[in-house]
């Protein structure tokens, strides 16, 4: 360890501490913007992927937080952690019946549900198909 201190070429510049801006001065977050069809489709794609288990945690205060496990990406080395999903889009998907909640796991301060895509019900055709009648020749 002491040998690396003497060599200037082996030292690494560490990033400086960034100071957070006050919440009032911060720019509104993109989560406050209305949901666009592209982000809703991305959220639904993440939930539908069986490699990314998705959960919603409902806290005692009523706050809901949707999250999923982000697997490690071998190309970039990132991942291997939980990532949050936009709550507004997930609530929209649940209200429209596109996602469902599984069995609850109840803790004193929160309840956690597994989130899955809803099973698609085949739609009935708009009008019944007409089959031609066969006439018997006597």
């Amino acid at each position: 360890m002491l040998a690396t201190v003497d060599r200037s070429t082996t030292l690494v510049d560490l990033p400086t501490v960034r100071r957070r801006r006050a919440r009032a001065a911060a720019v509104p977050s993109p989560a406050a913007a209305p949901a666009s069809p592209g982000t809703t489709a991305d959220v639904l794609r993440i939930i539908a992927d069986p490699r990314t288990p998705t959960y919603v945690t409902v806290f005692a205060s009523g706050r809901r937080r949707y999250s999923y496990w982000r697997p490690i990406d071998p190309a970039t080395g990132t991942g291997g952690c939980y990532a949050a999903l936009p709550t507004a889009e997930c609530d929209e998907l649940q209200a429209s019946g596109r996602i469902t909640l599984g069995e609850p796991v109840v803790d004193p301060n929160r309840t956690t549900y597994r989130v899955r895509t809803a099973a698609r019900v085949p739609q009935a055709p708009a009008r019944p198909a007409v089959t031609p009648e066969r006439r018997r020749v006597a």
Side-chain angles (χ1 to χ4, degrees), residues 28-55:
S29 67
S36 67
T39 58
T40 304
D42 288 340
V43 168
L44 193 58
R45 179 186 50 81
I46 290 170
I47 293 172
D49 187 2
R51 295 175 298 154
T52 57
T54 308
Y55 301 95

Side-chain angles (χ1 to χ4, degrees), residues 25-85:
V27 178
S29 67
S36 67
T39 58
T40 304
D42 288 340
V43 168
L44 193 58
R45 179 186 50 81
I46 290 170
I47 293 172
D49 187 2
R51 295 175 298 154
T52 57
T54 308
Y55 301 95
V56 61
T57 303
V58 182
F59 293 93
S61 64
R63 188 183 81 143
R64 300 166 67 93
R65 183 44 117 190
Y66 292 84
S67 60
Y68 70 98
W69 179 256
R70 182 180 292 166
I72 294 177
D73 182 15
T76 61
T78 60
C81 60
Y82 279 98
L85 290 170

